[in-house]
Every structure is written in structure tokens, then in C-alpha cells.
Amino acid sequence: MAAVLEEVSTLDPDKEYEIVNGIPEEKEMAGAGHGRVGAKLLARLSMFAEENDLGVVYGPDTTFKVGVNDRLPDISFVAIERIPEIGDPEGQWQLSPNLAVEVVSPTDFHEKVINKVLEYLESGVAQVWLVSPEHKTITIYYSLTAVKVLGENDVLTCQELLPGFSCRISDLFKLPKRR
């Protein structure tokens, strides 16, 4: 335990870390494409959730207690009925979100990403979305055996958590047109 505390005290305050099995893991900088796609999805989800009083969408700097670990999903959603009347917690959420979205980076390892998906699902997250800018897909995990892959010609919906939400997958990945 002393080694973990010593390691935490030497962490770079300008970087973000998830705590996995008691050990800090740096969240690596992902790149412009990752940020662009994540920002587009975050904006659409956030506006929809707010306009329909469904809950709150959080960005990549919000920490959640996911099982025994502290996780920072790229995008997350917490349903209104789970938000305390006093509002957001002062620090990290002591619960898992209803929806966790991870935008896959070129530096991500498959096994680490799948382990994170499993961890989210085991902690009660209703859906996990893996967004792949490289393949222009979104993989929706309802469980490890109930999985749906959406491509550029598909429409993303989430009737269970965000009834009425829809977004064309291609809109998330396209670049603005040059004039």
C-alpha cells in the first residue's frame, strides 16, 4: 500500500490517470481524430439528454467508480433518476454510469479495451459503446454475448436509455467540407 501511495504522489498533475487494481494507469493522448469524433458524439448526446430531461452526459475528465477501479470513460451518461437532488458529486461518482463510451485510439490494445468493456458491464453499466474512428464503426455491448456493430450507413439509437435519440454514424466521422 505504501508503494501505491508513493507512486500516486509522484504522478504528473497535468496528465489523467485511471486507477486499475490499485495502480495508476495514464490515459494516453489519443490524437485529433479521436477528439473530433468524441466531441461530435458528446455534443449530440448532451444536447439530446438535456432537451429531454433524461440525465447528464459527461466528458472524458469525469471519474466513475467502476467495480474496484476508477475509470474515465471518453463519454458517459447518468440517468436523471440516479442523480442526487443536490446535483453532481463534489469529486468522482461513486457509481458506474448507465452508458460508457470509449473512443478507440491507435495506441489502444485490444485486450485492455475488452477488459474495460467487461469491467463496465460487470459493474452495472447498461451499454458500452466502442467507437472506432479507424473503421468508422460503433460496437454496442449490451453484454459480452449481445453485441451489435453499426457501420457508416447505419443509424445509432439508444431507446433503452435515450428514447428518441438517433444519429447517422457517417455524420460522426465525416470531416467538414472545404469551401
Side-chain angles (χ1 to χ4, degrees):
M1 182 66 165
V4 170
L5 291 176
E6 183 179 309
E7 187 174 342
V8 168
S9 67
T10 62
L11 297 178
D12 184 338
D14 295 328
K15 296 184 177 178
E16 291 184 328
Y17 298 86
E18 293 182 316
I19 306 300
V20 180
N21 298 319
I23 298 171
E25 285 188 7
E26 181 182 340
K27 278 200 79 161
E28 297 196 26
M29 306 255 310
H34 177 281
R36 176 179 51 81
V37 171
K40 280 184 170 186
L41 183 56
L42 179 115
R44 288 163 194 235
L45 287 170
S46 185
M47 293 295 292
F48 184 84
E50 186 176 319
E51 288 170 359
N52 293 281
D53 295 319
L54 296 172
V56 180
V57 174
Y58 296 93
D61 54 349
T62 304
T63 306
F64 289 86
K65 183 56 80 178
V66 177
V68 298
N69 298 327
D70 298 342
R71 292 292 190 182
L72 294 125
D74 291 319
I75 303 168
S76 51
F77 168 75
V78 176
I80 191 72
E81 59 271 6
R82 296 180 67 212
I83 297 173
E85 287 202 25
I86 60 169
D88 300 320
E90 193 63 34
Q92 77 175 32
W93 277 99
Q94 293 300 311
L95 53 78
S96 296
N98 296 79
L99 169 67
V101 180
E102 293 289 345
V103 181
V104 181
S105 316
T107 58
D108 281 337
F109 291 104
H110 177 76
E111 290 304 314
K112 277 187 119 170
V113 172
I114 294 303
N115 284 340
K116 194 181 281 192
V117 168
L118 178 60
E119 187 180 316
Y120 283 134
L121 293 170
E122 287 177 344
S123 73
V125 174
Q127 289 184 28
V128 181
W129 298 354
L130 289 185
V131 180
S132 173
E134 180 181 350
H135 299 289
K136 297 183 174 139
T137 61
I138 296 180
T139 304
I140 302 171
Y141 288 85
Y142 304 93
S143 72
L144 276 185
T145 57
V147 180
K148 182 178 187 180
V149 180
L150 302 174
E152 281 190 277
N153 297 324
D154 294 317
V155 175
L156 175 64
T157 61
C158 186
Q159 295 306 315
E160 305 85 356
L161 301 173
L162 299 156
F165 174 79
S166 70
C167 174
R168 292 197 57 74
I169 301 292
S170 59
D171 291 345
L172 296 173
F173 297 109
K174 72 179 174 187
L175 289 166
K177 293 181 181 170
R178 295 180 185 268
R179 294 182 185 233

